[in-house]
Amino acid sequence: MKVGRLTIVDALGSRDGHRMVACACECGARIEIRRSSVVSGHTMSCGCLKRDALIERQTIDNLSRDPRYFVLQNAVGRCFDTENPGYANYGGRGITVCDRWRFGEDGRTGAECFCDDMGERPSSGHSLDRKDNDGPYSPANCRWATRTEQQRNTRSNAIFFYSGADRCLAEISDLCGINYKTLVTRIRRGWSPSRAFSHPANR
Ligand SMILES: [Zn+2]
């Protein structure tokens, strides 16, 4: 008799008034257990079923905590969420995320495909860069890129509160999708930060 991963291989008689059986589990383990527990379907493995489910859940948790996952989420938001502050400069001008990264492929989720294709992010200073600025987020058009020191030096040191935290303009530029230089120009011209970070850029 087989229930779940367990196969009853031996009757062991009674223990404390319960009929006991020996079961072989698919994982190779052998356990002794109350017969009623197996027959009722209450127990379906030696414990490996729960363990495997836990590992699977942890894997999913770990992936959703992977910073790369949020990088992808942000890109999808900029391209497809019309409420996203960066939408005008991404989705609004035809930038998309490829189907493989958005919906997944071959039984793997979009996030898994994205992580496979892009590899490890070299550092938190690396952002997802599109080689062709008018092209999509896709394996062929994306790379991890860091801002050069020179770029950093020309950037304003001003800090603004944006999207829940104090951030420099370079960071805000990444989040809102408005070109960094455009942001600097706007702030210098006396725009309010909220307008500078939300008003769609001209093209
Ligand atoms: Zn087992």
Side-chain angles (χ1 to χ4, degrees):
M1 179 177 180
K2 190 166 192 290
V3 180
R5 292 183 180 183
L6 295 178
T7 306
I8 298 177
V9 292
D10 211 358
L12 300 173
S14 283
R15 197 178 297 163
D16 299 330
H18 296 282
R19 290 172 68 189
M20 302 295 289
V21 290
C23 289
C25 183
E26 279 176 8
C27 72
R30 183 188 158 92
I31 57 167
E32 295 182 2
I33 187 171
R34 287 179 189 178
R35 186 177 187 280
S36 60
S37 182
V38 182
V39 174
S40 66
H42 185 73
T43 303
M44 311 240 297
S45 77
C46 71
C48 61
L49 206 57
K50 271 185 189 158
R51 204 162 58 236
D52 288 355
L54 190 67
I55 289 168
E56 192 176 334
R57 204 162 66 236
Q58 279 169 346
T59 305
I60 291 167
D61 283 352
N62 286 341
L63 191 61
S64 66
R65 267 197 294 273
D66 189 316
R68 292 176 295 178
Y69 182 79
F70 296 105
V71 170
L72 176 63
Q73 265 190 333
N74 287 336
V76 169
R78 288 193 290 269
C79 292
F80 299 102
D81 175 8
T82 54
E83 304 282 298
N84 188 291
Y87 180 81
N89 293 294
Y90 288 85
R93 60 182 192 88
I95 308 299
T96 62
V97 176
C98 68
D99 284 353
R100 175 175 159 80
W101 289 355
R102 206 175 160 208
F103 303 117
E105 207 170 75
D106 300 331
R108 296 176 70 68
T109 67
E112 288 171 335
C113 292
F114 175 72
C115 291
D116 284 353
D117 295 342
M118 292 301 298
E120 289 298 322
R121 188 186 187 186
S123 79
S124 61
H126 285 72
S127 56
L128 187 60
D129 182 48
R130 280 167 305 126
K131 297 169 199 167
D132 172 2
N133 196 42
D134 294 323
Y137 287 99
S138 67
N141 196 39
C142 282
R143 64 182 165 203
W144 295 116
T146 180
R147 302 177 193 100
T148 65
E149 275 307 308
Q150 191 188 359
Q151 274 178 314
R152 206 182 301 267
N153 290 341
T154 62
R155 290 183 174 198
S156 165
N157 292 325
I159 298 292
F160 299 90
F161 189 80
Y162 180 79
S163 190
D166 287 329
R167 305 174 192 279
C168 65
L169 282 179
E171 215 180 335
I172 294 169
S173 167
D174 288 344
L175 288 171
C176 74
I178 297 170
N179 184 277
Y180 169 76
K181 282 178 181 163
T182 303
L183 291 185
V184 172
T185 305
R186 288 175 172 185
I187 294 298
R188 280 188 187 144
R189 285 180 182 165
W191 287 37
S192 72
S194 63
R195 181 161 176 251
F197 304 153
S198 65
H199 192 76
N202 296 327
R203 265 186 76 81

